[in-house]
Amino acid sequence: SDDGGGWTLAAKVHRWHGGSPYNEPLGWFAEERDVAALLDTVSYEDRPAALAAHGKARLDPIVAAVDQARFTVIAEDDLDQRATWFKAVDAGIWSWFTAVDHPATEVCTDVDMSMDCTPGKIVSSGSTLLGGMDLATFGYTTINACPLHLRHNEDQSPDFSAVCSCTLNYDNNAWHDDAADGHWGNGLEIWIR
């Protein structure tokens, strides 16, 4: 299968075009939610729950053996437009999407962890930054080395949601997200092995 096989889809953030208020909690990755959506390969559109995860209770038995994660961002307007990064997993995997600090790990664009590598960590404060994951690496113009980020700040807002690409409409919207907010609404898959 893809990238050497053995991957488990741990969580995903659905693409979002709408403006309905809902909560995006910081600790969502560790909590079981909308598990049925993880089995649906195309369910990224405006779901009532923006986030899906197997959660800590279900994945703890395998996480001890996990040493790599795959993050794939899916364009808001194009399911076929994707970009992928591979991240070395540190012991703080369940704190990735909280305000808890944890070490940076290597983030690369290939499964062998040898191309376009940079230290990166997931940092949450106001929004959640995916350090080391910048679409500029794949040739898209982005805002000042801006990593992908999410609006995980628990504010129940109807504003932009899902993943921000930092691409605005640069290069004639080369990265296909044209949500009203300009560069939000992208989906994200998080795989572990």
Side-chain angles (χ1 to χ4, degrees):
S1 72
D2 290 349
D3 300 315
W7 294 95
T8 297
L9 180 57
K12 67 183 178 180
V13 177
H14 303 302
R15 298 189 304 162
W16 188 257
H17 306 282
S20 300
Y22 55 85
N23 190 20
E24 293 180 310
L26 285 172
W28 71 278
F29 186 59
E31 297 176 14
E32 185 174 313
R33 60 181 70 234
D34 199 12
V35 171
L38 297 173
L39 304 176
D40 183 346
T41 58
V42 295
S43 66
Y44 291 95
E45 299 294 335
D46 296 348
R47 294 180 65 86
L51 308 165
H54 280 300
K56 188 176 191 300
R58 183 172 289 201
L59 294 182
D60 251 356
I62 69 168
V63 161
V66 165
D67 61 7
Q68 192 175 40
R70 182 176 76 201
F71 288 74
T72 298
V73 64
I74 298 99
E76 181 246 353
D77 271 345
D78 186 351
L79 273 174
D80 295 323
Q81 188 175 43
R82 297 167 179 242
T84 296
W85 294 264
F86 296 86
K87 180 176 174 60
V89 171
D90 67 292
I93 184 172
W94 299 118
S95 68
W96 276 354
F97 293 92
T98 70
V100 177
D101 196 18
H102 57 88
T105 62
E106 203 75 357
V107 176
C108 306
T109 57
D110 68 318
V111 69
D112 295 326
M113 305 295 286
S114 62
M115 295 176 58
D116 306 306
C117 298
T118 183
K121 64 180 178 176
I122 298 169
V123 179
S124 292
S125 62
S127 64
T128 301
L129 305 178
L130 303 183
M133 302 179 205
D134 184 340
L135 282 168
T137 305
F138 292 92
Y140 298 98
T141 303
T142 61
I143 305 165
N144 300 325
C146 173
L148 300 178
H149 55 281
L150 300 79
R151 191 183 57 81
H152 292 145
N153 55 5
E154 304 185 280
D155 68 356
Q156 302 264 351
S157 171
D159 292 336
F160 53 77
S161 187
V163 177
C164 179
S165 66
C166 299
T167 55
L168 294 171
N169 289 319
Y170 293 145
D171 307 322
N172 296 313
N173 196 35
W175 180 261
H176 302 153
D177 56 351
D178 63 358
D181 299 278
H183 48 134
W184 285 86
N186 302 281
L188 179 71
E189 295 175 342
I190 304 169
W191 300 75
I192 56 174
R193 73 164 183 184

